[in-house]
Amino acid sequence: MANLTTVTRISQEKHPRNISKHLNYGTAGFRSRATELDHILYRMGVLAALRSKSKDGDTIGVMITASHNPEEDNGVKLIDPLGEMLESSWEKHATCLANAGDEEFQVVLSEIVETFKIDMNCKSSVAIGMDTRASSPGLNTAVVDGVKSVDGLCFDYGTITTPQLHYMVRCINTRNAYGMATIEGYCNKLSKALKNIWQNQGERKVYKPHIIVDCANGVGAKRLKDIAERFDKILSIEIRNAGEGKLNYRCGADYVKVNQRGPEGIDCIEGQKYASFDGDADRIVFYYTDKDNIFHLLDGDKVATLIASYLIGLIRKCGLELNLGIVQTAYANGNSTAYIQDELKVPVACVCTGVKHLHRKALEFEIGVYFEANGHGTILFSDSALSKIESSCSSSSNESEKLSANELRTFVDLVNQTVGDSISDMLIVETILRDKDWDVADWDKSYRNLANRLLVVKVNDRSVFETTNAERTVIKPTGLQKAIDDHVKLFPNGRSFVRPSGTEDVVRIYAESDTQENADQLALAVAKSTYDLAGGTGNLPTL
Ligand code: 16G
Ligand code: ZN
């Protein structure tokens, strides 16, 4: 058995801390310029192995990615045994370890071992994945060094999407009960589920089994190709931005959502269905252009409502009673929330931005559908839901109920329940559109979005911001909420809020209203008040 103090020290010298900047384990782990991250990745390798030891040797995941951020950035996040985000009580230890001076590193490490009573003789294993950034392989080496410095075992998955790594971790720790812990196993599980459901759906008239997917020049392209090949005859998936251009540059889910237009270089053909992934393939948005050349975006809200409406219908057909709820954030379009409440008549919860908050809330329902408007989301099926579905499959005396229960059981396999997954979400949407025999425009008609605008304000210190009510009300700086309320009153269906970003050094403004012009004016007015009351720097945002 390695001695913690000496072994880590030897490897640690290969990964010295070369910055003095303080980094936080934020909403999605650590994110920064790739050149500032080597020591952090090494340290997260060590921490992941310690976390594994603290979980009796269960495998912990380490994903190297900066998601939708520029190619020059990178980042890292840890994945807990069932494929969920790192338990929040460990985040502060991650931050502490990452920011310790080289000479304090051992002390902080010993404190963690002490705090969690970690048995250093326990085995540990870490599954590592990375996106396609040029800096990722070097950072991967740093993680491996960290894991090995405390005698941990590494499963290196190479280039893999973030949700695929979450899936692998869950498969490993459930001894493959969740699926086989390989890319092949992932593709088999999803493709088999899709084909099963489609087989029983019969012919379709309106639904078009063809989608063009912008993969943001990221890892999603390669991994989507693996599975797309299996749908050759039944679903045609055309991959664009497969890596020929710069990662996330004027393409990808974030670009499309924020700018409300298609990726550069892809001419949206009228009526054709498109989707965009982000750089690590955990977000997806859909879009199309109508005959008047108007661009229509179908974001996370539209995906969540589509899924919920399908599931409610299917649950009813099964003759089951299941408590289904939707979880959103303040960024959800006001009309999507109204549609969920008034049309779908489903409970809807609003939580703070960041997947971990949505995921946690969704666990409170028997079936929890959660989506951020930016396209990140999935569906969680509780044990109680699964056992009700299972018993309906085996013991229902009504043949049609049994058939529906079988469909629902198969549908569960189409879902990556660990985290939002562009590939799985895309197949879910295709399956539901086919079920309803809908074209993308039919889907879009379910409700009309209120016009909205996102703006960014740079301030001296974003830590002066304090929000409450799931980020919909700002408490500090004092007076800002009153100013927002005054602006909002002037616009029909007006709504606006301000929150500090958890990933960048900016404050974000959201506004919605009846027309684009009104949404823009409201956003600009709120941005100006924010700038004035919170010590704005640089230029005021423009449209
Ligand atoms: C991260 C979050 C995402 C959130 C975004 C907000 C995860 C995996 N990702 O990308 O959910 O919407 O941050 O960014 O949690 P912001 O705080 O800069 O607005
Ligand atoms: Zn992402």
Side-chain angles (χ1 to χ4, degrees):
M1 168 54 212
N3 171 316
L4 170 71
T5 326
T6 54
V7 176
T8 51
R9 190 164 287 155
I10 291 164
S11 290
Q12 190 203 341
E13 281 160 11
K14 277 172 65 189
H15 303 283
R17 183 169 184 245
N18 59 357
I19 54 158
S20 54
K21 185 163 119 191
H22 184 93
L23 292 175
N24 249 323
Y25 194 98
T27 356
F30 293 104
R31 295 262 165 94
S32 198
R33 289 282 155 195
T35 46
E36 301 173 339
L37 287 171
D38 183 77
H39 68 291
I40 296 205
L41 274 282
Y42 166 76
R43 293 168 182 207
M44 288 308 107
V46 178
L47 189 72
L50 292 190
R51 175 99 182 127
S52 167
K53 288 178 196 292
S54 81
K55 292 277 173 190
D56 289 332
D58 272 359
T59 298
I60 297 296
V62 174
M63 183 67 201
I64 303 163
T65 181
S67 185
H68 57 283
N69 295 113
E71 158 78 36
E72 299 72 30
D73 290 2
N74 216 324
V76 59
K77 63 182 165 194
L78 267 56
I79 303 169
D80 259 358
L82 286 180
E84 68 278 45
M85 304 278 177
L86 175 69
E87 188 181 294
S88 42
S89 65
W90 274 62
E91 289 179 6
K92 58 176 184 294
H93 299 287
T95 299
C96 228
L97 193 62
N99 292 293
D102 285 332
E103 61 304 331
E104 297 158 345
F105 177 69
Q106 297 292 331
V107 179
V108 176
L109 211 51
S110 307
E111 278 167 8
I112 295 172
V113 172
E114 179 65 21
T115 306
F116 295 101
K117 308 260 171 296
I118 296 169
D119 174 4
M120 290 307 290
N121 290 315
C122 183
K123 285 192 182 137
S124 59
S125 68
V126 175
I128 309 170
M130 60 180 178
D131 68 15
T132 51
R133 288 176 160 78
S135 58
S136 290
L139 295 174
N140 192 327
T141 307
V143 177
V144 172
D145 280 354
V147 175
K148 290 199 171 153
S149 72
V150 283
D151 270 0
L153 192 70
C154 291
F155 296 109
D156 196 347
Y157 280 98
T159 43
I160 185 173
T161 73
T162 297
Q164 282 177 331
L165 187 68
H166 284 255
Y167 164 94
M168 299 305 169
V169 169
R170 181 142 171 181
C171 292
I172 295 170
N173 291 317
T174 57
R175 311 275 172 270
N176 293 329
Y178 191 67
M180 295 297 289
T182 58
I183 294 284
E184 179 78 6
Y186 170 92
C187 292
N188 279 344
K189 184 175 172 182
L190 268 56
S191 61
K192 203 172 132 209
L194 181 136
K195 285 177 185 169
N196 262 336
I197 300 175
W198 286 35
Q199 228 167 30
N200 296 319
Q201 282 175 340
E203 292 298 307
R204 289 297 184 255
K205 291 198 182 76
V206 180
Y207 168 74
K208 293 190 200 81
H210 179 215
I211 183 160
I212 297 177
V213 187
D214 150 35
C215 288
N217 292 310
V219 59
K222 235 191 213 168
R223 301 282 82 101
L224 178 60
K225 194 162 172 282
D226 302 330
I227 197 160
E229 284 164 356
R230 293 163 186 249
F231 301 127
D232 202 18
K233 301 259 161 24
I234 56 170
L235 171 63
S236 143
I237 301 171
E238 255 183 71
I239 301 175
R240 302 280 175 82
N241 289 333
E244 62 276 19
K246 198 170 168 186
L247 178 70
N248 296 324
Y249 184 68
R250 298 194 172 161
C251 61
D254 199 58
Y255 175 85
V256 173
K257 168 73 182 158
V258 172
N259 296 290
Q260 308 197 21
R261 64 163 169 263
E264 218 173 70
I266 297 185
D267 286 328
C268 291
I269 304 161
E270 181 203 322
Q272 168 65 47
K273 180 173 46 188
Y274 295 84
S276 283
F277 291 5
D278 71 337
D280 63 336
D282 61 357
R283 293 188 191 180
I284 185 167
V285 294
F286 296 81
Y287 43 95
Y288 72 100
T289 306
D290 67 18
K291 60 177 178 1
D292 300 319
N293 207 24
I294 295 172
F295 178 81
H296 296 257
L297 177 71
L298 296 103
D299 60 4
D301 303 340
K302 279 262 155 85
V303 177
T305 49
L306 180 76
I307 292 174
S309 88
Y310 165 80
L311 285 176
I312 296 163
L314 193 53
I315 292 166
R316 206 172 290 136
K317 284 199 239 160
C318 297
L320 286 173
E321 293 249 333
L322 286 167
N323 151 31
L324 179 145
I326 299 185
V327 186
Q328 304 186 309
T329 71
Y331 289 108
N333 195 278
N335 277 356
S336 77
T337 315
Y339 174 77
I340 295 166
Q341 285 166 331
D342 305 340
E343 302 284 325
L344 299 179
K345 302 199 187 311
V346 162
V348 54
C350 181
V351 298
C352 291
T353 303
V355 174
K356 64 182 178 195
H357 302 294
L358 289 109
H359 194 96
R360 197 176 307 135
K361 189 72 188 173
L363 287 169
E364 293 177 14
F365 298 97
E366 274 183 302
I367 299 181
V369 180
Y370 75 79
F371 267 87
E372 289 191 304
N374 63 26
H376 187 119
T378 187
I379 313 160
L380 305 183
F381 296 87
S382 64
D383 286 345
S384 109
L386 292 175
S387 76
K388 283 185 192 172
I389 298 166
E390 197 56 52
S391 72
S392 186
C393 287
S394 55
S395 58
S396 172
S397 52
N398 177 321
E399 266 317 301
S400 108
E401 284 184 2
K402 212 174 193 166
L403 218 61
S404 298
N406 269 309
E407 178 176 336
L408 187 49
R409 183 173 60 182
T410 312
F411 182 82
V412 173
D413 279 346
L414 196 54
V415 182
N416 182 347
Q417 292 187 59
T418 60
V419 80
D421 181 332
S422 316
I423 295 176
S424 157
D425 287 341
M426 188 187 90
L427 300 179
I428 289 169
V429 165
E430 289 298 328
T431 298
I432 301 176
L433 292 181
R434 191 173 195 286
D435 177 80
K436 293 179 179 283
D437 199 12
W438 274 1
D439 184 10
V440 61
D442 298 318
W443 171 22
D444 196 29
K445 275 185 228 142
S446 53
Y447 65 87
R448 203 177 63 84
N449 271 323
L450 283 170
N452 56 88
R453 177 65 63 194
L454 276 166
L455 290 178
V456 159
V457 170
K458 290 208 163 88
V459 293
N460 275 325
D461 176 12
R462 78 192 201 281
S463 72
V464 302
F465 281 77
E466 208 179 296
T467 65
T468 183
N469 185 23
E471 301 178 324
R472 290 168 295 187
T473 308
V474 56
I475 303 173
K476 281 182 188 160
T478 325
L480 182 53
Q481 188 56 48
K482 163 90 175 56
I484 296 174
D485 292 341
D486 289 345
H487 294 310
V488 163
K489 276 187 215 138
L490 305 175
F491 295 88
N493 299 106
R495 184 171 73 92
S496 179
F497 65 91
V498 171
R499 60 173 277 279
S501 158
T503 62
E504 284 175 63
D505 210 8
V506 295
V507 173
R508 299 199 195 282
I509 316 287
Y510 175 87
E512 65 185 25
S513 185
D514 58 341
T515 63
Q516 192 58 55
E517 200 191 333
N518 281 341
D520 290 349
Q521 291 313 313
L522 177 55
L524 286 171
V526 172
K528 168 99 175 57
S529 297
T530 306
Y531 190 95
D532 292 344
L533 287 164
T537 57
N539 295 331
L540 258 173
T542 49
L543 295 177

